[in-house]
């Protein structure tokens, strides 16, 4: 009986270690989330991954007809080049609203009055780009 109890305890301990190891290794990296950077009344209407580095958020304020873009890193840290751009579609060779520079966590907010129009929006982190062209019309 003692051997059976000892063996059962060993199996239970091994299972506990295996499960805890899986849980530790399965923990996801911190993800960027929209935190209201555009201000009151802005709701996220679209978003896109910036590779594995972060997320670019397109928001809209229905009472003002203005869009806003923010590009956020998943894990803030040392300053890197982060950019946010927004234009009425097609953007052409430049962004109507743009912010870019060395930041630790996010670029933007940048704003544009685009009620009833399609927009081009983008975010870049360290040269990796996300965003879309000709979306969110209306």
């Amino acid at each position: 009986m003692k051997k059976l109890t000892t063996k059962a305890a060993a199996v239970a301990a091994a299972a506990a270690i295996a499960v805890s190891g899986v849980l530790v290794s399965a923990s996801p990296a911190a993800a960027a989330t929209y935190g209201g950077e555009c201000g009151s009344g802005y709701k996220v209407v679209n978003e896109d991954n910036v590779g594995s580095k972060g997320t670019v958020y397109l928001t809209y304020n229905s009472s003002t007809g203005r869009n806003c873009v923010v590009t956020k890193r998943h894990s803030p840290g040392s300053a890197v080049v982060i950019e946010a751009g927004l234009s009425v579609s097609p953007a052409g060779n430049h962004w109507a609203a743009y912010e870019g520079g060395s930041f630790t966590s996010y670029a933007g907010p940048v704003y544009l009055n685009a009620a009833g129009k399609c927009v081009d929006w983008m975010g870049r982190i360290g040269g990796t780009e996300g965003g879309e062209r000709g979306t969110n019309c209306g």
Side-chain angles (χ1 to χ4, degrees):
M1 183 73 165
K2 184 173 182 178
K3 278 189 178 184
L4 184 56
T5 304
T6 304
K7 187 173 182 178
V11 169
I17 290 169
V19 169
S20 67
V22 169
L23 292 177
V24 170
S25 65
S27 296
T33 57
Y34 178 71
E37 290 82 5
C38 292
S40 178
Y42 285 87
K43 306 286 186 228
V44 174
V45 293
N46 214 330
E47 63 185 71
D48 193 33
N49 291 329
V50 182
S52 61
K53 299 175 181 182
T55 305
V56 56
Y57 296 95
L58 174 66
T59 67
Y60 184 71
N61 185 320
S62 60
S63 66
T64 65
R66 295 181 79 198
N67 287 94
C68 174
V69 170
V70 176
T71 305
K72 295 185 74 173
R73 288 173 75 180
H74 288 316
S75 300
S78 300
V80 297
V81 175
I82 307 176
E83 302 169 83
L86 177 61
S87 285
V88 170
S89 188
N93 293 330
H94 72 282
W95 296 99
Y98 173 85
E99 179 176 59
S102 291
F103 302 110
T104 58
S105 58
Y106 69 92
V110 295
Y111 299 91
L112 182 69
N113 188 356
K117 300 176 180 156
C118 301
V119 293
D120 293 351
W121 50 281
M122 74 88 188
R124 274 191 213 108
I125 302 173
T128 302
E129 185 171 323
E132 295 188 34
R133 308 286 190 253
T135 68
N136 300 84
C137 306

